Amino acid sequence: MNFQEYPTDALMYITNRPEIVFTRGKGAWLYDNNDKRYLDFIQGWAVNSLGHCDDGMIAASDRQSRLLINPSPAYYNEPMARLASKLTALSAFDKVFFANSGAEANEGAIKLARKWGQKNKNGAFEIITFDHSFHGRTLATMSASGKPGWDTIFAPQVPGFPKADLNDIASVEKLITPRTVAVMLEPIQGEGGVLPATREFMQALRELTRRHNLLLIVDEVQTGCARTGEMFAYQLSGIEPDIMTLGKGIGGGYPLAALLATEAASVFVAGDQGGTYNGNPVMTAIGLEVVSRLSAPDFLAGVRERSAYLSQALLKLSADYDFQGERGEGLLRALLLGRDIGPQIVEQARLLEPAGLLINAARPNLLRFMPALNVTTDEIDQMIALLRQAIDQAV
Ligand SMILES: *Cc1c(COP(=O)(O)O)cnc(C)c1O
């Protein structure tokens, strides 16, 4: 079908989109309305951990949909309990609250920290966050985010989120006052350009927050669920935070997110937190399938192998084109271009014939790669070949 035949005019304008409609996907490939195929290294924004339309996820969704779709959040269901106990077994946390998006999970983390501050710290409510961070698009999570311009678009902001500089412990310490209740960060700033917090910084933050009796919150919406080659990115630095949020990869493409906390930080009382779809059995059954596959023996080792392969390939390409190398952890990586040519390369990559390539420029001077975690080395080779063509056409 022609693009013009789709009734896209009825959609509220929020961003510029190319004039194509995606109609199906399988594994690493997406197909558009003209049946042109695209090698997908965006995967729903680091969401489809097992690629497009995974058979195990389809079976889990089908099985649960025939049994029970929604008993209401006021009652227990089996998949929610099983997924929660799986997540606590895999992590440093004791309690789980399920949500439908990363932003909603982060809202929950902010509420939990403020509640903990009322109970334990004389009503302290300020949460120190970081410049260039991204925590979501609700009012509070936009206020927590350090994206340039976000402080004014929907002013006034939600108060209580002073900003420090990533990897600068003195900048955090300077902001601590009697009103401070927590520090919240992404272990790797994803939208900010795949900028990792260093191991030393994470350890110093844990020490600083313990010393001042503050909660440490990690937003692992992008970095969690095997993306970095560890089940959770905080494990890369050998620390244990008090609160963690998950989203994106946990649902493998379905809307599922989670707020996890230690026993001591789990201070909600009846009525504090909830939501109509939270913990519904279909989403949690799919999440259970995804997390079970990601935590199967050898899966993480495979992610690390493919990560090393992608990293080497990007370094070689960088040397050939005189770019500035690459960075990242696991299968969340960025190629540093040294010039603001990212958007042109992204455009040319999508337009390649007969097969296009989907990648993202998180910042104009870099390209971000977030393939499915089960991507093959052959698909990585194909991606690099397409990327070379796109760069040649863009510059
Ligand atoms: C994507 C993202 C969010 C927001 O998740 P949504 O599901 O889009 O609400 C929050 N934090 C981080 C680190 C993210 O990458």
Side-chain angles (χ1 to χ4, degrees), residues 233-249:
Y234 75 81
Q235 294 167 327
L236 290 164
S237 51
I239 59 143
E240 293 192 346
D242 305 291
I243 295 174
M244 171 171 78
T245 54
L246 299 173
K248 297 202 163 93

Side-chain angles (χ1 to χ4, degrees), residues 252-274:
Y254 285 85
L256 178 66
L259 160 66
L260 294 87
T262 59
E263 181 84 50
S266 301
V267 291
F268 284 145
V269 299
D272 281 351
Q273 183 66 328

Side-chain angles (χ1 to χ4, degrees), residues 101-103 106 134-136 186 219 221-222 248:
S101 72
N106 284 335
F134 180 85
H135 298 294
E186 303 155 84
D219 174 351
V221 171
Q222 191 157 149
K248 297 202 163 93

